[in-house]
Amino acid sequence: MSTAGQPIRVLVVEDDPVAADAHVMYVGRVPGFVAVGKAHTGAEARRMLDRTPVDLLLLDLHLPDVHGLQLARSLRAAGHHTDVIAVTSARDLTMVREGVSLGVVQYVLKPFTFATLRDRLVRYAEFRGTAGEASGQDEVDRALATLRAPGPAALPKGLSGPTLERVTGALRGSAEGLTAAGVAEAVGISRITARRYLEHLVDAGRAGRSPQYGQVGRPELVYRWARRR
């Protein structure tokens, strides 16, 4: 485990290369944290944990070779006591309860922004910083409360969760990709609004964009979901 004054060492475990790179970048932008590596499978994560000191796993639950909670369980059995922030698109509360017993201290739902992850990491650092003997129940409650967000994770101003889900669904369902105009038509929003949601997905590492050149006029951006390998 890290000691006082040293950064909290984070291993990113994510099979999507685009998302993994984005998460490593996000971690590196939060003061007091450092990404010590990334793994794309559970087996790769185990090997890295055996040779690299790690304080926290940023763990995607849907890996190609093992479910994230199964990986966490096997790590506990092997004597690894690394904390876990689970990254998932699933919303199964039964799975959330199971994860608590396996060292999962936070859940982050995909797609998420840098601000969302930063909030979780800062709260985790505050929780790790609590030490000594509590004076009473109130102090214990305050320590545990540092892990809890004050409310639903905030999207950038003007964006809503339900609309983001519809935009995400439209983009994931298009093998060839969509322009902002195509998303706007599919979802029933303006092209400008569609572009804001699409750019949010790009910033979150969940989508990519490339120019599409026509015969006349300026090239139009085509957005594609960042497919898993």
Side-chain angles (χ1 to χ4, degrees):
M1 303 295 285
S2 64
T3 59
Q6 293 184 342
I8 295 173
R9 298 162 296 205
V10 182
L11 175 63
V12 172
V13 186
E14 163 66 64
D15 73 316
D16 183 330
V18 175
D21 288 342
H23 297 169
V24 167
M25 179 185 68
Y26 284 176
V27 170
R29 291 171 61 187
V30 181
F33 288 83
V34 61
V36 297
K38 57 186 176 181
H40 299 302
T41 66
E44 187 178 359
R46 290 189 192 97
R47 290 194 295 270
M48 294 187 71
L49 283 165
D50 285 338
R51 66 174 186 264
T52 304
V54 173
D55 303 305
L56 178 68
L57 291 181
L58 189 60
L59 175 62
D60 181 23
L61 294 187
H62 296 284
L63 299 171
D65 58 340
V66 65
H67 191 278
L69 291 185
Q70 293 177 336
L71 173 62
R73 185 177 295 107
S74 68
L75 292 175
R76 288 290 179 270
H80 291 289
H81 299 293
T82 306
D83 290 327
V84 176
I85 292 181
V87 177
T88 179
S89 57
R91 288 161 169 79
D92 185 349
L93 292 179
T94 301
M95 183 176 64
V96 172
R97 290 195 298 270
E98 181 182 356
V100 171
S101 65
L102 298 173
V104 176
V105 296
Q106 288 274 14
Y107 278 85
V108 183
L109 292 181
K110 294 180 178 179
F112 57 86
T113 64
F114 165 67
T116 296
L117 182 61
R118 178 184 59 197
D119 174 78
R120 299 304 191 275
L121 292 178
V122 168
R123 289 176 178 276
Y124 171 74
E126 291 175 355
F127 176 74
R128 278 176 59 94
T130 57
E133 184 174 347
S135 60
Q137 183 68 51
D138 287 347
E139 192 168 344
V140 172
D141 291 343
R142 283 195 299 271
L144 292 174
T146 60
L147 288 173
R148 296 195 292 269
L155 289 170
K157 185 177 180 180
L159 272 58
S160 72
T163 302
L164 179 60
E165 289 190 3
R166 297 202 303 274
V167 170
T168 297
L171 198 61
R172 294 189 70 169
S174 174
E176 300 300 321
L178 291 169
T179 63
V183 170
E185 181 179 357
V187 177
I189 55 180
S190 72
R191 182 175 60 83
I192 294 175
T193 300
R195 185 181 297 278
R196 287 194 65 201
Y197 282 92
L198 291 166
E199 289 296 325
H200 166 68
L201 290 173
V202 171
D203 290 342
R206 306 310 297 156
R209 62 173 178 258
S210 59
Q212 175 178 275
Y213 295 92
Q215 293 182 344
V216 294
R218 297 173 59 185
E220 194 167 14
L221 290 175
V222 175
Y223 296 83
R224 294 178 177 82
W225 189 250
R227 305 288 178 183
R228 291 179 180 272
R229 291 179 300 175

